[in-house]
């Protein structure tokens, strides 16, 4: 499948907006009805917060493994598009991994090497001189966590929340997971950051411009947004992204953080809009008459899809902190869910996580694995990320000998 290339973006945007409006002449009324639905969901979220409840569903890994998650719990996760899974890893193991990652960075003089890093414009620039997102992928703790059987159980559970078959075709195998090597985040206390404002990953302008992406959102663009399910897999694995460093070219059912230290509100942690169908709002908002003809609410190719005060003020009112998490807990959010990281870390301790997503086996992901495997063997940055290749000569890097049979299958395909 070829990546998406667009030569004249303003013209392409004008043309697609004309086409979509032509096909949905009552786009204003449709958007008003959708806006009422999103407002109702955000009102419910804010009411829960006022009662001291967290709107992000919480379940326990032991209950996933024992098959004790109820249909009601699953329905709430689908509605909110996110969940915290407690106890995926033992707390003592996660704390040991945290120390081990720190030692790995220090032993290999990482902060010095970072000064020569390739530019990563995906989020803009971080204000602090001390790095917070570390371009390492192959430390032993990261590899161990990705291949762990309890992590796989969580990922398989999440994949199975999706409707994976339609018209006699299986769009992906929910029970077979693959490893998407991603980075780690280590955020010191009393630190601020810029650029991790509310956004969605996995495609920006492509969601309107790529015909395969438009098929994913066919019910939204036809005006039947009530029929749109964020968990319908049809078309998802055929969607095409514009190539760019740090834009994910794998299909992830859910993005995820694994906590290596405590995660607390106001301590530099994750925030989410727990509304799974908010993407429908984003898509139709760009068609409204107050948006310039050559703009998709300021979406830019090769960047995160930004949610901003100018065009999406309603969505920003529903942004919620995740529940408190202990080391070894995980948080997962649907690939279309709006998320951000708190600007200020006012806590007392480092806020450290590993990025581990849920990615199922499909042809798109299998093609990525073929490109990712040599990066693992050689210690290079994975194909989706800036080619810093820091770990090529790192002492203590994970090698093939550190892979379990399951881990090798997930990484090698």
């Amino acid at each position: 499948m070829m990546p998406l290339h667009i030569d004249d973006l303003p013209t392409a945007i004008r043309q697609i907006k004309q086409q979509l409006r032509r096909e949905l002449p009552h786009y204003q009324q449709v958007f008003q009805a959708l806006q009422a639905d999103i407002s109702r969901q955000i009102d419910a979220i804010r009411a829960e917060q006022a009662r001291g409840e967290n709107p992000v569903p919480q379940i326990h890994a032991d209950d996933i493994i024992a098959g004790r998650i109820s249909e009601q719990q699953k329905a709430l996760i689908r509605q909110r598009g996110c969940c915290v899974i407690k106890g995926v890893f033992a707390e003592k193991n996660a704390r040991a991994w945290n120390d081990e990652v720190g030692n790995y960075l220090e032993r290999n003089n990482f902060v010095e090497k970072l000064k020569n890093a390739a530019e990563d414009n995906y989020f803009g620039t971080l204000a602090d001189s001390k790095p917070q997102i570390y371009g390492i992928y192959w430390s032993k703790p990261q590899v161990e966590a990705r291949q762990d059987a309890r992590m796989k159980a969580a990922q398989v559970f999440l994949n199975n929340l999706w409707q994976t078959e339609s018209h006699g075709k299986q769009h992906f195998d929910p029970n077979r997971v693959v490893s998407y090597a991603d980075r780690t985040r280590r955020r010191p206390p009393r630190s601020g950051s810029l650029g991790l404002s509310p956004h969605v990953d996995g495609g920006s302008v492509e969601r309107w411009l790529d015909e395969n992406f438009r098929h994913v959102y066919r019910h939204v663009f036809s005006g039947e947004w009530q029929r749109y399910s964020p968990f319908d897999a049809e078309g998802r694995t055929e969607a095409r992204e514009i190539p760019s460093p740090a834009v994910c070219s794998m299909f992830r059912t859910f993005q995820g953080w694994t906590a290596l230290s405590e995660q607390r509100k106001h301590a530099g942690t994750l925030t989410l809009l727990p509304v799974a169908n908010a993407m429908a709002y984003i898509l139709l908002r760009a068609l409204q008459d107050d948006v310039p003809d050559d703009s998709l609410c300021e979406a830019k190719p090769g960047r995160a899809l930004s949610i901003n005060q100018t065009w999406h003020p309603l969505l920003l009112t529903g942004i919620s902190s995740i529940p408190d998490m202990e080391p070894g807990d995980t948080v997962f959010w649907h690939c279309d869910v709006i998320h951000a990281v708190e600007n200020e870390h006012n806590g007392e301790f480092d806020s450290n996580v590993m990025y581990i997503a849920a990615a199922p086996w499909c042809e798109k992901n299998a093609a990525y694995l073929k490109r990712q495997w040599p990066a693992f063997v050689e210690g290079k940055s994975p194909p989706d990320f800036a080619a810093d290749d820091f770990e090529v000569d790192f002492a203590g890097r994970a090698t093939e000998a550190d892979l379990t049979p399951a881990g090798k299958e997930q990484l090698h395909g």
Side-chain angles (χ1 to χ4, degrees), residues 21-332:
R21 286 168 172 166
R22 200 165 52 242
E23 293 170 357
L24 184 63
H26 55 304
Y27 58 87
Q28 292 165 311
Q29 296 93 315
V30 170
F31 179 69
Q32 286 169 359
L34 173 59
Q35 185 167 244
D37 174 75
I38 301 292
S39 294
R40 178 188 56 75
Q41 292 189 66
I42 289 176
D43 287 346
I45 287 164
R46 292 173 68 97
E48 288 177 29
Q49 290 171 323
R51 294 195 298 269
E53 301 166 11
N54 195 295
V56 175
Q58 300 181 66
I59 56 178
H60 200 284
D62 289 346
D63 293 327
I64 290 175
I65 291 163
R68 291 192 295 256
I69 306 297
S70 69
E71 291 306 313
Q72 187 179 4
Q73 286 172 300
K74 292 176 187 176
L76 184 61
I77 295 169
R78 288 190 188 99
Q79 180 190 333
R80 295 283 163 89
C82 55
C83 64
V84 164
I85 305 179
K86 311 287 281 184
V88 173
F89 302 111
E91 183 174 335
K92 69 177 191 307
N93 291 2
R95 289 191 187 279
W97 280 339
N98 186 43
D99 293 341
E100 199 176 330
V101 170
N103 292 338
Y104 180 69
L105 293 165
E106 200 171 314
R107 186 165 67 236
N108 291 290
N109 205 17
F110 179 81
V111 173
E112 275 303 306
K113 291 189 168 89
L114 199 71
K115 291 175 182 172
N116 304 314
E119 190 176 11
D120 176 358
N121 278 328
Y122 185 62
F123 292 119
T125 55
L126 290 170
D128 291 303
S129 57
K130 186 171 171 61
Q132 298 187 348
I133 298 177
Y134 291 79
I136 62 161
Y137 309 88
W138 310 120
S139 71
K140 288 183 180 180
Q142 287 168 289
V143 170
E144 283 175 32
R146 290 178 199 135
Q147 69 184 4
D148 189 273
R150 288 175 70 86
M151 172 57 76
K152 180 182 178 181
Q155 293 165 329
V156 166
F157 166 77
L158 294 165
N159 291 344
N160 277 285
L161 294 173
W162 285 68
Q163 177 192 332
T164 59
E165 293 185 34
S166 58
H167 314 299
K169 179 186 177 186
Q170 186 181 51
H171 305 295
F172 64 78
D173 183 348
N175 300 312
R176 185 176 171 190
V177 303
V178 295
S179 281
Y180 181 71
D182 206 333
R183 298 172 290 187
T184 183
R185 181 182 181 86
R186 300 177 74 80
R187 192 167 181 193
R190 311 295 174 195
S191 62
S193 71
L194 293 176
L196 290 175
S197 52
H199 65 279
V200 182
D201 297 301
S204 59
V205 297
E206 301 95 314
R207 295 175 191 272
W208 294 267
L209 296 176
D210 174 40
E211 62 181 328
N212 297 348
F213 252 127
R214 290 200 301 276
H215 183 76
V216 169
Y217 305 119
R218 59 199 177 279
H219 297 310
V220 177
F221 289 128
S222 73
E224 300 176 287
W225 57 267
Q226 298 91 336
R227 293 182 61 199
Y228 163 64
S229 166
F231 289 89
D232 177 1
E234 186 175 327
R236 287 275 180 182
T237 62
E238 287 81 43
R240 296 181 300 161
E241 298 84 16
I242 295 170
S244 163
V247 170
C248 180
S249 58
M250 240 196 191
F251 168 62
R252 297 176 290 184
T253 54
F254 285 78
Q255 293 171 250
W257 272 20
T258 293
L260 297 181
S261 65
E262 292 85 354
Q263 300 296 309
R264 299 288 187 266
K265 188 176 181 179
H266 304 313
T269 194
L270 187 75
T271 60
L272 301 166
L273 175 64
V275 175
N277 70 337
M279 182 55 67
Y281 178 100
I282 297 167
L283 295 168
L284 292 182
R285 180 69 187 89
L287 302 187
Q288 302 311 301
D289 293 340
D290 60 335
V291 183
D293 284 345
D294 61 355
S295 171
L296 294 166
C297 298
E298 299 171 36
K300 292 179 171 59
R303 302 284 168 82
L305 178 57
S306 175
I307 311 305
N308 55 65
Q309 191 65 42
T310 305
W311 304 114
H312 317 104
L314 171 64
L315 301 182
L316 297 178
T317 65
I319 299 285
S320 310
S321 288
I322 60 170
D324 286 352
M325 287 167 54
E326 306 308 320
D329 295 344
T330 62
V331 59
F332 288 96

